[in-house]
Amino acid sequence: MSAHAATPLPSEVPLKISYARYDAAQEPKQLEAIRQLISSDLSEPYSIYVYRYFLYQWGNLCYMAMDGEQIIGVVVSKLEEHRNGVMRGYIAMLAVKEQYRGKGIATKLVQMAIDAMIFGDADEVALETEITNTAAIKLYERLGFLRSKRLHRYYLNGNSAFRLLLPLKSQGLLHEHEEHECGEDDGHDHGHDHGHGHGHDHAGEECGGHGGHGHGHEH
Amino acid sequence: MANTGVDGVRDGPAQPNMKNDSIPAMHPNSPLSTDSFRDITAEFFEASAKLNVGQLVKDPYFTLLQAVGALEIMDPKMDSGMLEAEYESFNALKPRLPEEVIGIMDQLLSYEMAWHNGSALSQTVFTCLYIDRLLSSGPETLAQATFASFTGIEGDADSKERQLLENVLRPYCLALIKCCYCVNQQIQMEHIYEEEDFVTQTYNVSLLDSVEPNEILNILDSALQWLEATKNSYSNEIFEALECRLLHRKALFRDLSREIEEWVSGVPSEWDSSLELLAKVEKSHPLGKPVSEAFSTSVQRKLASQVPPRPMVEISFKDATSSLKKLCIEGKDVLKILKYQGSTNLVNYFLNFMARKPSPSPYVRSLLQSLFFKEMKILGTMPIKQLLFDDVRELTNPVDLLLDPRNEAVEAPQDPRFNIVKRTNWFIERAGRSYLDLFRNICQNRSRLRRNLCHAILDWDSLQVECEEIDSELRELTQEEPQKTPNGPPSYSFPLSSWVYLYKLRQMEWIILLGFELEVYQPHEYADMFWYLQIYVRTKIGHLERIRQFATLNTKVVSKNKKKKGYSANAQQQKSLSLLNYYLLEGSAIQELAGAMVNVYVALSRLTLLRKPPQPYSSDHLRYELRMKPFFTIGCPEVVPYDIFTTLVDNPQVETLELLELASESIAQARKDFDQLGKLDAETSRTALCEDAFKINNREMLRSCIGLSVAVAQITKALKSAGGATQEYLEVEIERAKYHPSFPVPSIKNKAPIKTAPIKTEPIKTELIKTEPGKMELGKTEQGKTEQGKPEPSKTEPSKTEPSKTEPRKKTKKKATGKKK
């Protein structure tokens, strides 16, 4: 689990962390490091295609925290049209190496991703996080996210999630009569789909945090 | 891309055609011959060599779900094919000690309950290699389901231990498998969220589908006979342990295999004997000896090759038995609804049953749905119409003519009654659907319930508009006389739409209550959301009063016109008025408590004892829009514009001390109301089917009232003291455990002793405490709490707190609404 929030650094040496946007040209060097960083927080690893899915399409929304040459933190996101033309940013993965937690690195990474999404004209930013992951929840709530709903047994480990949303633009809802757009955007997927062998569909809508620990974080 | 068989994905509009575009999972029995495959390795490598670093070739429909569903072959964490096939070498005929058989049975029971609680068969029951052996040949008859393996490792067929396997463990396993079959069938019949609440996936393994329930009972009986005959071979303890496990399984199977029709016809259940036998099973559990080699995740290699290997879901035997006990108790409880005691009792049963903590199991929630409604019949006997009309009648007491069954006999199209029926039939069709959905929604897990309600209120909102139109037509047909209001236009009863509106308001109220219960709302939002709760409940009260006005009136008209009908109409009226009065009392209680909560949480925020996180992104206005999104499209009541809203909630022209005083008054009133509610008999509160739950709920409400009044007293005291109610002296934590889940209470702790020299000398308001001499624990608690306050040296807080009364607040626009009416 990732919620061991504030593990202090063993040394008192002030950190010199630099931040960089993901660079596709550096793939051979960076992708594996990012993957390792994230999968250490997951009970079940993501396939390489998950990383490719995000990094090739939204590499500009992926930021890394580096200690020298070493990648010690990463945020992976996407931004695309959701329902009713809403541009929704989505923070899929966030991880900071355990010994670097509690230093505001994750917050910084998330802020960089959000800023990039705002630049990309996002209407809102969404993510899911385990309800027991208080450090992550706090991190996002301090930035302005709101819990929009609770998702029962969302993760493979049987834990529930909160969906957190950060509204960036008014969606002009006042007294507009829109069919079924009441902030609860996935209530229609009544889950009677028998016979799948996957279990991944919990991540149905956004697929961010399967494996139980999608957002691994500090505060 | 390897193995991207993403079948069964939950498809939302965000990913169109996903199902069609995914590579279909290969059916295990598909007749594909190897001829249809071509080795493309060389071509693949040649093509991929042409790609640059950072270049990706993908088809436009490559979705995230497919990416997540993809596996990497030969990665041991992803490729379940790399598991060693332990099941192949397992010798299911190896002699076992009776203690080991007990151990296996108990472990199986644990896995069975883990499955009931939402884990997959591949991580639970199917990991048992005995079960695997019985099912792997795809047996169609019991005789075909044996422990013998293909490789034929045979032991000494006559040994006692071997016979024990054949004659006790095998029947037990077969009955357990069939129990799983029954549960799976039941759950698939109703609305339960796949994967979320329960996993029905069986990986194409038949759970003895074609075996008749009687065969299972027979094989269990034979097992019991065999055991009896060999009784002398074991100690008495062992004998009894084995016997009670078989008996327990039998009792459980009988109930799980019941058809709904049998329950409806009044077949007695065996849940009680299941419970008794389970107690014996528990008691003898220590005799068992675990056999860990009999369980292995390696079965996933053949079961679920498209997902990564997943660990066995271990739950302790203690947790398993308590889950099972809960299931038996709930299974018995839901049968109560079959004794119909009116529609409101039924709704209340659903509400109270589903509010239980921990939540009722998916199986029982499914059973409840089937018992309630199956094959177009309510409780197996009634048409939907009857339940619906009962409900409308009990709430609104409409004129007799409206729902008179004799109307249906009228065939003349010009007869008003003919036209009434035309409209009420429309109502049955349209509102019936929404009404059934309401019951079904209540049976979902709480998170789903809230989400589904957010959709449902839109449906009820349009239903309301539609019904208003029908009501207008109906009042012509029933020649309803308008009721004159002192200074307004004449008004009509609108019985159908009134009924709809009440349910809509109740559901809006539930959405908010669930927001608190599920911790979707954060403490800094509490004041806002309690404010809305209060508004919705207040609107409901206004609406109930209107209904009552007409419900009272209708009887007068009827009894004047039809002398003979006078009595029955009167009884009907009594029933309605009693229900309306009950709702009004309940509404008043909640409104008062919610109002007090608003004031207290506003006070805490003014005193900066409860603070919002910094929130550099977005704005409060946008967050307000997001929070109120489910309600924005509702025609009535409308969401309040943001700037007005903040003033209404913050109530700037009322001083903090006064806010607290108002809160005290509200709490006192709420307590009176809840006390009165608690004294009502089950008939009046319509809780004939769930009186205990109702009382518990009421007690929790009272506890929230008491807890809140303690907090009010503490803040008030601190405010009046020299130091004031500042962060230096006080610390606020939100307490949930002791209180009603929807009414969390701020617990105020003293960080430092409050300076005794008060600014004002008047004593703290304690009238509230004194008004109820019967319940003096309040006074005690209060005292205890304030005195307990840890006199810690004040932690060096950046003390930038301002005196409470000089709060700079936003412009004042409207009159305070946090006040009492």
Side-chain angles (χ1 to χ4, degrees):
Chain A
M1 277 272 312
S2 50
H4 312 287
T7 317
L9 258 189
S11 72
E12 293 301 312
V13 182
L15 275 175
K16 261 209 114 154
I17 302 293
S18 60
Y19 295 87
R21 181 183 282 192
Y22 176 77
D23 175 7
Q26 302 288 309
E27 190 214 292
K29 244 168 59 190
Q30 295 179 342
L31 184 57
E32 198 44 39
I34 291 175
R35 207 180 162 187
Q36 270 178 18
L37 189 60
I38 288 164
S39 51
S40 66
D41 279 342
L42 296 173
S43 56
E44 195 174 281
Y46 287 128
S47 78
I48 185 70
Y49 301 103
V50 177
Y51 297 92
R52 294 206 196 283
Y53 174 87
F54 285 106
L55 295 176
Y56 283 87
Q57 300 184 80
W58 297 282
N60 61 325
L61 302 177
C62 168
Y63 288 88
M64 300 166 296
M66 328 274 292
D67 184 1
E69 285 292 288
Q70 193 197 6
I71 299 177
I72 53 96
V74 68
V75 61
V76 175
S77 330
K78 69 170 176 170
L79 174 64
E80 62 184 342
E81 210 175 291
H82 191 56
R83 304 202 179 158
N84 294 21
V86 170
M87 278 300 273
R88 176 181 269 197
Y90 179 69
I91 298 176
M93 306 172 210
L94 170 68
V96 170
K97 239 186 175 159
E98 194 160 356
Q99 61 269 37
Y100 289 89
R101 289 179 191 166
K103 304 274 157 199
I105 296 169
T107 303
K108 174 79 183 158
L109 286 168
V110 171
Q111 283 180 304
M112 292 174 87
I114 295 174
D115 291 340
M117 289 176 193
I118 292 172
F119 184 74
D121 211 23
D123 294 309
E124 61 186 22
V125 183
L127 61 101
E128 294 90 29
T129 179
E130 253 181 308
I131 58 166
T132 49
N133 193 348
T134 43
I137 295 173
K138 265 203 183 123
L139 183 159
Y140 291 113
E141 283 178 345
R142 275 190 200 132
L143 290 172
F145 282 80
L146 206 61
R147 303 178 189 189
S148 80
K149 66 184 96 169
R150 188 168 168 135
L151 309 158
H152 184 66
R153 285 181 70 91
Y154 183 76
Y155 294 103
L156 286 169
N157 61 9
N159 278 348
S160 297
F162 282 120
R163 168 146 315 129
L164 301 179
L165 268 177
L166 179 73
L168 292 170
K169 286 186 205 163
S170 174
Q171 293 177 21
L173 282 152
L174 260 168
H175 312 306
E176 241 176 67
H177 278 264
E178 283 173 89
E179 272 289 296
H180 301 296
E181 180 45 38
C182 32
E184 311 289 317
D185 38 18
D186 51 356
H188 292 290
D189 44 358
H190 300 308
H192 263 307
D193 21 43
H194 310 296
H196 44 57
H198 254 273
H200 282 308
D201 44 358
H202 256 245
E205 198 179 2
E206 301 284 12
C207 291
H210 93 117
H213 318 283
H215 291 82
H217 338 308
E218 58 167 334
H219 107 284
Chain B
M1 242 172 38
N3 278 329
T4 325
V6 190
D7 49 350
V9 290
R10 223 174 263 182
D11 44 351
Q15 283 110 354
N17 300 326
M18 194 159 40
K19 266 188 179 158
N20 301 337
D21 292 320
S22 64
I23 298 168
M26 214 190 293
H27 194 271
N29 304 323
S30 75
L32 279 178
S33 72
T34 43
D35 300 348
S36 48
F37 293 106
R38 188 165 59 87
D39 186 349
I40 57 156
T41 315
E43 287 162 61
F44 177 79
F45 279 122
E46 194 194 322
S48 63
K50 290 177 186 158
L51 292 175
N52 295 323
V53 166
Q55 196 182 346
L56 177 74
V57 179
K58 72 171 189 72
D59 83 39
Y61 302 110
F62 177 66
T63 66
L64 177 52
L65 270 167
Q66 289 174 327
V68 171
L71 297 176
E72 285 170 58
I73 294 173
M74 299 311 287
D75 178 334
K77 277 175 107 175
M78 284 197 231
D79 188 349
S80 57
M82 288 187 73
L83 292 167
E84 204 182 314
E86 286 169 35
Y87 48 87
E88 278 176 8
S89 54
F90 180 69
N91 181 7
L93 292 170
K94 182 182 162 192
R96 295 281 178 201
L97 297 169
E99 288 83 356
E100 289 179 312
V101 171
I102 293 168
I104 295 164
M105 287 170 153
D106 287 357
Q107 185 60 57
L108 262 172
L109 185 78
S110 297
Y111 284 131
E112 186 184 14
M113 294 324 293
W115 176 63
H116 270 264
N117 294 342
S119 301
L121 281 172
S122 65
Q123 294 174 271
T124 57
V125 177
F126 279 0
T127 63
C128 175
L129 298 179
Y130 287 100
I131 299 282
D132 175 63
R133 187 54 54 80
L134 289 172
L135 294 180
S136 58
S137 63
E140 284 177 12
T141 63
L142 282 186
Q144 288 169 2
T146 67
F147 284 152
S149 73
F150 309 115
T151 49
I153 314 162
E154 302 288 324
D156 175 5
D158 298 327
S159 76
K160 197 178 73 185
E161 286 81 3
R162 169 76 181 278
Q163 288 196 2
L164 189 65
L165 286 182
E166 287 291 350
N167 292 303
V168 175
L169 184 60
R170 181 172 162 266
Y172 182 88
C173 289
L174 292 171
L176 187 141
I177 293 164
K178 194 68 186 176
C179 281
C180 293
Y181 168 82
C182 296
V183 168
N184 224 28
Q185 289 295 107
Q186 172 58 50
I187 287 188
Q188 292 186 42
M189 211 142 56
E190 295 297 342
H191 202 115
I192 291 290
Y193 285 88
E194 176 69 24
E195 297 266 319
E196 191 169 297
D197 289 300
F198 195 82
V199 183
T200 58
Q201 174 67 274
T202 62
Y203 317 94
N204 282 320
V205 174
S206 157
L207 298 171
L208 303 173
D209 302 10
S210 47
V211 171
E212 291 297 320
N214 261 343
E215 299 176 64
I216 297 292
L217 292 173
N218 289 343
I219 198 176
L220 285 171
D221 284 337
S222 309
L224 284 159
Q225 280 162 20
W226 182 88
L227 193 67
E228 182 68 34
T230 55
K231 193 173 179 175
N232 295 335
S233 325
Y234 332 95
S235 72
N236 200 36
E237 273 183 316
I238 293 286
F239 170 78
E240 282 179 359
L242 291 168
E243 188 190 37
C244 74
R245 277 162 178 75
L246 289 170
L247 286 170
H248 172 250
R249 183 52 62 181
K250 190 177 157 190
L252 193 61
F253 177 71
R254 285 175 82 106
D255 279 343
L256 292 176
S257 60
R258 288 260 180 261
E259 301 286 337
I260 296 300
E261 295 70 29
E262 293 179 82
W263 291 127
V264 167
S265 71
V267 174
S269 78
E270 298 197 21
W271 296 115
D272 280 335
S273 41
S274 285
L275 277 170
E276 281 164 31
L277 290 160
L278 184 59
K280 288 189 184 169
V281 171
E282 267 185 301
K283 220 174 141 196
S284 54
H285 175 68
L287 291 176
K289 226 178 125 188
V291 181
S292 58
E293 72 198 68
F295 299 88
S296 159
T297 51
S298 71
V299 289
Q300 292 175 11
R301 181 189 156 93
K302 53 180 179 176
L303 290 177
S305 58
Q306 293 174 12
V307 287
R310 290 184 183 146
M312 291 189 249
V313 177
E314 309 282 356
I315 69 170
S316 69
F317 187 69
K318 195 169 161 273
D319 288 347
T321 51
S322 66
S323 281
L324 184 50
K325 274 184 229 164
K326 189 173 140 279
L327 184 129
C328 294
I329 292 166
E330 291 162 358
K332 186 185 169 198
D333 204 87
V334 292
L335 297 176
K336 283 190 203 161
I337 66 164
L338 294 173
K339 215 175 142 208
Y340 181 61
Q341 310 213 36
S343 58
T344 314
N345 265 309
L346 204 53
V347 178
N348 281 341
Y349 179 80
F350 274 67
L351 287 172
N352 279 293
F353 182 73
M354 285 309 299
R356 288 180 178 207
K357 299 267 176 307
S359 288
S361 76
Y363 171 76
V364 178
R365 290 194 269 131
S366 170
L367 183 64
L368 176 60
Q369 293 176 53
S370 291
L371 292 170
F372 169 65
F373 183 69
K374 199 179 174 217
E375 278 152 18
M376 299 309 285
K377 286 270 186 289
I378 303 283
L379 309 179
T381 53
M382 289 193 292
I384 302 166
K385 172 184 160 181
Q386 189 184 336
L387 182 73
L388 191 61
F389 280 12
D390 277 2
D391 210 48
V392 172
R393 207 178 274 130
E394 187 170 4
L395 182 75
T396 65
N397 186 32
V399 289
D400 278 2
L401 184 61
L402 189 73
L403 307 177
D404 193 333
R406 286 167 305 183
N407 291 350
E408 279 165 55
V410 179
E411 284 171 2
Q414 71 281 12
D415 192 308
R417 287 172 296 173
F418 179 87
N419 287 295
I420 290 174
V421 170
K422 236 169 96 182
R423 281 158 185 82
T424 51
N425 279 347
W426 170 87
F427 178 74
I428 296 163
E429 179 73 21
R430 172 72 178 85
R433 222 177 313 137
S434 305
Y435 192 49
L436 292 181
D437 277 346
L438 176 80
F439 283 91
R440 207 172 288 132
N441 277 338
I442 301 172
C443 290
Q444 303 312 317
N445 66 64
R446 306 294 273 175
S447 304
R448 272 291 171 184
L449 169 60
R450 181 162 186 276
R451 291 160 71 184
N452 290 355
L453 287 174
C454 288
H455 293 286
I457 55 172
L458 296 183
D459 173 43
W460 286 81
D461 193 46
S462 27
L463 179 61
Q464 188 186 346
V465 175
E466 291 161 43
C467 285
E468 275 164 17
E469 207 165 297
I470 296 296
D471 274 331
S472 312
E473 292 168 16
L474 283 168
R475 75 169 177 244
E476 305 281 320
L477 296 165
T478 58
Q479 296 185 305
E480 183 180 338
E481 291 287 326
Q483 217 197 347
K484 293 181 183 63
T485 45
N487 36 13
S491 61
Y492 294 90
S493 65
F494 287 93
L496 302 183
S497 50
S498 284
W499 176 85
V500 173
Y501 188 32
L502 184 78
Y503 271 107
K504 185 181 84 178
L505 286 169
R506 290 183 77 190
Q507 292 178 82
M508 292 171 79
E509 187 184 329
W510 297 342
I511 291 172
I512 300 208
L513 292 172
L514 284 162
F516 286 106
E517 179 185 320
L518 296 170
E519 296 180 58
V520 169
Y521 305 146
Q522 282 308 284
H524 66 266
E525 300 175 76
Y526 281 0
D528 296 355
M529 299 324 289
F530 276 122
W531 188 85
Y532 264 107
L533 176 63
Q534 189 197 20
I535 287 300
Y536 291 155
V537 175
R538 186 178 296 168
T539 312
K540 185 178 80 175
I541 290 173
H543 181 53
L544 285 164
E545 276 163 354
R546 183 182 191 280
I547 297 175
R548 187 169 62 174
Q549 200 183 343
F550 286 96
T552 318
L553 184 84
N554 281 339
T555 311
K556 282 185 207 147
V557 175
V558 171
S559 49
K560 220 191 286 170
N561 293 354
K562 300 180 194 165
K563 285 160 265 165
K564 272 192 128 181
K565 282 270 148 199
Y567 176 71
S568 81
N570 216 30
Q572 179 55 49
Q573 184 200 34
Q574 290 307 323
K575 212 172 157 191
S576 289
L577 293 181
S578 125
L579 178 66
L580 290 164
N581 288 336
Y582 168 75
Y583 278 152
L584 282 165
L585 180 61
E586 182 204 49
S588 158
I590 292 178
Q591 187 199 221
E592 295 292 350
L593 179 55
M597 289 277 180
V598 175
N599 285 348
V600 173
Y601 282 107
V602 166
L604 289 174
S605 134
R606 284 189 194 178
L607 299 166
T608 65
L609 289 167
L610 200 67
R611 282 193 292 183
K612 271 198 304 196
Q615 303 178 324
Y617 288 96
S618 191
S619 68
D620 287 347
H621 191 156
L622 288 174
R623 271 183 290 270
Y624 175 72
E625 274 189 15
L626 175 62
R627 184 51 85 213
M628 295 312 292
K629 213 168 165 189
F631 305 108
F632 264 121
T633 47
I634 299 300
C636 176
E638 280 188 351
V639 171
V640 180
Y642 177 69
D643 45 348
I644 299 174
F645 170 76
T646 49
T647 323
L648 290 177
V649 178
D650 296 345
N651 227 339
Q653 72 277 63
V654 179
E655 281 190 13
T656 307
L657 266 176
E658 199 189 328
L659 276 184
L660 293 169
E661 250 171 66
L662 289 171
S664 268
E665 285 167 29
S666 297
I667 299 167
Q669 185 57 47
R671 286 195 67 187
K672 255 187 224 160
D673 292 342
F674 283 121
D675 273 334
Q676 210 182 326
L677 283 168
K679 284 178 196 136
L680 294 178
D681 57 25
E683 202 191 331
T684 315
S685 59
R686 268 75 171 176
T687 52
L689 304 169
C690 52
E691 204 179 353
D692 290 347
F694 169 74
K695 299 255 183 223
I696 291 171
N697 184 66
N698 215 51
R699 270 202 297 275
E700 287 175 345
M701 287 290 200
L702 269 168
R703 270 206 293 272
S704 287
C705 291
I706 294 165
L708 190 64
S709 68
V710 171
V712 168
Q714 285 175 303
I715 307 164
T716 309
K717 185 176 171 188
L719 257 182
K720 290 179 176 173
S721 71
T726 61
Q727 289 172 32
E728 203 181 329
Y729 296 102
L730 299 182
E731 195 172 44
V732 176
E733 249 175 63
I734 304 302
E735 283 230 36
R736 313 186 66 96
K738 290 188 279 179
Y739 304 111
H740 191 281
S742 296
F743 292 89
V745 166
S747 144
I748 318 284
K749 302 230 162 65
N750 290 351
K751 282 189 194 167
I754 287 175
K755 286 171 194 141
T756 39
I759 298 167
K760 293 175 188 171
T761 44
E762 68 189 79
I764 308 156
K765 266 205 160 176
T766 48
E767 92 222 34
L768 180 161
I769 301 165
K770 285 170 200 151
T771 46
E772 305 271 343
K775 306 243 168 185
M776 268 321 17
E777 79 266 20
L778 171 63
K780 260 188 261 159
T781 325
E782 187 207 0
Q783 221 179 16
K785 278 213 172 167
T786 37
E787 278 167 17
Q788 256 174 28
K790 296 163 247 165
E792 274 174 43
S794 58
K795 291 175 206 152
T796 51
E797 233 72 35
S799 139
K800 46 187 170 191
T801 44
E802 299 128 342
S804 61
K805 280 163 240 164
T806 57
E807 291 308 306
R809 284 280 130 181
K810 297 199 189 92
K811 57 196 167 193
T812 59
K813 237 184 194 172
K814 275 212 165 179
K815 256 228 126 208
T817 49
K819 282 191 183 179
K820 302 193 39 178
K821 34 185 180 171

